[in-house]
Amino acid sequence: MTAETYLGKHRFGGPGAVSAPVWNRPAADRMLPAQIVVIAKEPVPGRVKTRLTPPFSPEEAAELAQAALTDTLTAVAGTNVARRVLALDGAPGPWLPGGFDVISQRGAGLDERIVWALTDAHVTLPLPLVLIGMDTPQVTPALLAAAAAPLVSGTADATFGMAQDGGFWLLGLRRVDPALVLGVPMSQPDTGARQLARLEQAGLRIRRLPELVDVDTVREAEDVAAATPGSRFATCLAGLRDRAAQPAAGVR
């Protein structure tokens, strides 16, 4: 699918378009005129964190996914921006804090779903966007603000955070252009490099963010938990480890 085809099919007000959001906007001198979009799956057993199974059960992997998502949403909620959006595959649960506009994910591959999320958010509020996933629970409001600020000031056209596994954990854009993402092979060892090259080939001024560990494997989960003591993710992982260490009930 080309960028022109994508925009032609999914104009605001057309089939499947989203309605204008409602949110409380803080005073202008207290916030960045930007928006943060979290693209995530509902933490349902068997659909999330499947690379953690084994050693964890699908239910335990879903617990870790929910903890990671909760930490991520908490960081976003603590960032002074005009709007917070959750582009969700599934249904919201009690883990969703207040102050988020929820939109449905659409598209086939991840590249299309990213473009959908960015386009749907931008068409209802034409401000710079920062998109992240749910696999970096160690993200902080300071990091997110550092990604949004250059876009707001106009000193960068894009902000970008590479993931340690070769992917990327953050993509910020001053303006949405589907051609910047569509067709980039996702979930590959060189996805991050290819996405960065796409931004560079477009002649964008890019501000790089620190490289983060993207939690997919048990080792990555342990590394992130060790780096974020007291987080929901670290607490959840520790609880699962303690549970596994306990002898089965009734065994003498």
Side-chain angles (χ1 to χ4, degrees):
M1 181 185 295
T2 66
E4 290 78 9
T5 301
Y6 184 92
L7 286 178
K9 289 176 65 178
H10 306 309
R11 295 287 182 188
F12 179 60
V18 296
S19 59
V22 176
W23 71 96
N24 293 322
R25 297 182 63 179
D29 61 349
R30 295 172 50 204
M31 60 115 182
L32 284 164
Q35 49 194 322
I36 300 175
V37 181
V38 180
I39 185 166
K41 290 182 180 179
E42 179 187 1
V44 174
R47 296 194 65 239
V48 290
K49 292 284 167 269
T50 54
R51 291 175 64 186
L52 298 181
T53 307
F56 299 109
S57 69
E59 291 75 18
E60 291 171 334
E63 288 183 46
L64 285 168
Q66 181 171 320
L69 178 56
T70 301
D71 282 333
T72 301
L73 295 173
T74 299
V76 174
T79 309
N80 255 341
V81 289
R83 185 191 188 198
R84 302 165 186 87
V85 178
L86 174 62
L88 184 63
D89 178 3
W95 39 263
L96 178 64
F100 281 79
D101 292 323
V102 181
I103 60 176
S104 297
Q105 285 186 32
R106 292 178 282 184
L110 181 56
D111 61 330
E112 288 191 20
R113 285 185 278 130
I114 288 173
V115 170
W116 261 116
L118 292 171
T119 302
D120 283 351
H122 194 260
V123 78
T124 53
L125 182 64
L127 292 177
L129 309 99
V130 171
L131 180 138
I132 62 172
M134 60 185 285
D135 297 333
T136 50
Q138 70 273 47
V139 72
T140 64
L143 269 177
L144 295 173
L151 305 175
V152 170
S153 67
T155 57
D157 304 307
T159 50
F160 190 74
M162 194 79 76
Q164 195 176 81
D165 64 0
F168 63 94
W169 67 272
L170 180 145
L171 173 63
L173 293 173
R174 185 167 169 80
R175 295 182 180 85
V176 176
D177 179 356
L180 295 173
V181 180
L182 286 178
V184 174
M186 298 289 163
S187 303
Q188 301 296 319
D190 61 348
T191 291
R194 291 194 181 203
Q195 180 60 75
L196 180 60
R198 182 72 68 88
L199 302 177
E200 292 171 338
Q201 290 161 6
L204 301 187
R205 298 165 298 158
I206 304 165
R207 182 73 57 85
R208 297 283 296 271
L209 276 294
E211 181 179 281
L212 295 185
V213 175
D214 191 327
V215 175
D216 286 311
T217 67
V218 173
R219 176 60 184 272
E220 290 164 345
E222 291 171 344
D223 288 346
V224 169
T228 57
S231 67
R232 289 176 180 82
F233 186 79
T235 300
C236 180
L237 183 60
L240 294 178
R241 293 297 197 197
D242 289 345
R243 191 187 309 169
Q246 293 173 0
V251 175
R252 297 289 187 267

